[in-house]
Amino acid sequence: MQLNPGWGDSGPNLLHIRAEGPADTLHFVWGSLGAPTVLLVATDTPRSNLSVNWTLLLSPDPSGALRIEPPGSVIYSTAIIFTKVFESSHAQPGGETFYPPYDLSQFSWENLNSTLNRTALTAEFWGVPATDPSGSFANGSLGFQVTAYETAGRASSLPRLLHSCNSSQVQFVLAGVAPRGNVSRFTLEVATVEEQGVAQRLRSLRSIDDEYTPAVFETLALVAGSRDSGCTRSFLQWKATAYSSRSPGRGDSIQCRPHGLQVANWTLPESGLVRALFGDGVGSNFSVSAINISFGGEEGRGYQESHYLSWSALLGFGEPPEDSFSPLVISLTAAALGTPLLLLLLGSCSVLCARRKRYSEYDPIN
């Protein structure tokens, strides 16, 4: 994990996470130059690295400022951009009221050096709007908490997402932000940039097993797959829940649902990292998709009481991890289903044996 490679700890927020394998390297490049963005780049050599031209990156036209060395080693690259936060209210019985959205490219972000933990492999991007006419952020802020992993495992806090070395976790947080409506609901807009020939689709997986995330039975994933081979290249995965507490429990769950994955018909999101890696031709050589993820029901309950919202997602390369039934759940299920079946078999055998047994005290005449 490197902060501002080639520049220094203070200054721009550019976080480079590098995972080296025996025959390849995975790069996660996070930054808040414009809208908060993560670049995912896979190479076919274990010795690839990120090269940053800081003069170009901080200029009005950062095209070409980020390069992966050696040239030609990149086998796949994509970008995930967190573009806007929408706020709406159902306080009026006649319909829904929308407030001006928070454009995350117009936020002022704190220095990442104060939250970077190289031992735990975590970092936190915290920001407030550059202008805040409503005063909603007077006592609050918006953040993206990033966690990288060296081994496979499961997060310690809810929703306890299963992860591998090929993935990182991001947690979107609203803390102390005053709602502009009496019954407000927030929605996060997420955009992706993909190479030609790679398409995004939304996948939903339901399971009866809620061992790790109580009362949540659905996992959603935005997967990027090749149109030709169908091979999954990258993913953004999350549980269908958010939470209204810093130490979440089952009772702190907030409804979370996706809305309409669409090919974006608007201009490229304002992200300096996207232009820095993909160049000025990104609009013609790459496709942009967007999806909205809303938190809370129509009543807006959850955030209204606590003024806190957290939503966690996993992003990485290849197929998203899938939960399997643990030995504990398999044992309990087997006991729950096997015990009645065993009793039924024993009862049937007893009835059959009783029917065959003679109870008469008389001897037969013949």
Side-chain angles (χ1 to χ4, degrees):
M1 179 180 282
Q2 291 178 293
L3 177 60
N4 301 326
W7 176 279
D9 288 346
S10 62
N13 287 337
L14 184 69
L15 180 66
H16 177 215
I17 300 171
R18 182 175 178 274
E20 183 178 309
D24 56 6
T25 309
L26 305 179
H27 300 269
F28 299 83
V29 184
W30 293 85
S32 56
L33 301 173
T37 303
V38 55
L39 306 174
L40 282 71
V41 183
T43 68
D44 59 3
T45 171
R47 293 177 297 276
S48 65
N49 217 326
L50 177 69
S51 174
V52 184
N53 184 328
W54 284 102
T55 302
L56 196 58
L57 183 63
L58 300 178
S59 69
D61 183 11
S63 177
L66 298 180
R67 291 181 294 112
I68 299 295
E69 304 287 353
S73 61
V74 175
I75 56 177
Y76 173 70
S77 58
T78 185
I80 299 174
I81 311 108
F82 302 95
T83 52
K84 295 178 182 178
V85 172
F86 300 96
E87 183 181 352
S88 60
S89 175
H90 286 267
Q92 300 296 330
E96 189 172 10
T97 301
F98 287 89
Y99 300 94
Y102 295 114
D103 187 345
L104 300 187
S105 66
Q106 303 301 319
F107 269 47
S108 175
W109 300 93
E110 295 180 5
N111 193 318
L112 198 62
N113 186 44
S114 60
T115 63
L116 182 65
N117 187 329
R118 289 183 171 86
T119 303
L121 298 179
T122 61
E124 300 177 8
F125 294 81
W126 289 101
V128 296
T131 58
D132 185 21
S134 65
S136 296
F137 281 79
N139 298 308
S141 57
L142 179 151
F144 293 91
Q145 302 176 2
V146 179
T147 304
Y149 300 106
E150 291 183 311
T151 59
R154 191 179 296 276
S156 58
S157 61
L158 290 175
R160 301 199 63 192
L161 294 172
L162 181 66
H163 61 75
S164 69
C165 305
N166 297 342
S167 59
S168 294
Q169 179 174 287
V170 58
Q171 186 179 51
F172 165 66
V173 177
L174 275 178
V177 178
R180 289 172 285 183
N182 294 329
V183 190
S184 285
R185 178 177 64 180
F186 292 94
T187 300
L188 176 65
E189 182 183 70
V190 183
T192 63
V193 177
E194 291 291 346
E195 303 170 344
Q196 293 293 336
V198 178
Q200 290 277 358
R201 62 187 179 91
L202 184 64
R203 180 191 299 175
S204 174
L205 180 64
R206 295 181 180 272
S207 171
I208 62 171
D209 183 8
D210 67 340
E211 177 184 4
Y212 299 106
T213 313
V216 178
F217 302 95
E218 184 180 16
T219 301
L220 296 142
L222 193 61
V223 295
S226 173
R227 288 191 176 95
D228 297 331
S229 63
C231 177
T232 300
R233 311 297 296 275
S234 64
F235 65 88
L236 177 71
Q237 182 190 55
W238 67 95
K239 292 278 190 178
T241 185
Y243 293 96
S244 60
S245 171
R246 297 179 186 272
S247 301
R250 177 177 178 177
D252 302 313
S253 180
I254 300 176
Q255 186 180 27
C256 168
R257 67 174 73 171
H259 298 273
L261 173 64
Q262 297 180 355
V263 176
N265 55 4
W266 30 267
T267 57
L268 190 70
E270 293 186 28
S271 169
L273 294 189
V274 171
R275 293 182 61 194
L277 181 67
F278 298 128
D280 292 329
V282 64
S284 57
N285 299 327
F286 294 77
S287 61
V288 180
S289 301
I291 189 171
N292 289 341
I293 302 171
S294 67
F295 312 104
E298 293 185 357
E299 300 82 8
R301 288 177 297 185
Y303 183 83
Q304 209 71 25
E305 292 83 5
S306 64
H307 284 196
Y308 186 86
L309 167 70
S310 69
W311 170 76
S312 299
L314 198 70
L315 52 91
F317 299 87
E319 285 285 345
E322 289 189 11
D323 280 314
S324 58
F325 289 101
S326 67
L328 174 63
V329 172
I330 293 174
S331 301
L332 292 175
T333 304
L337 297 177
T339 301
L341 181 61
L342 180 60
L343 292 175
L344 179 61
L345 291 175
L346 291 175
S348 300
C349 292
S350 300
V351 170
L352 291 174
C353 291
R355 285 183 176 181
R356 293 181 178 180
K357 186 175 181 180
R358 296 178 181 272
Y359 291 97
S360 175
E361 299 177 356
Y362 297 96
D363 295 328
I365 296 175
N366 295 324

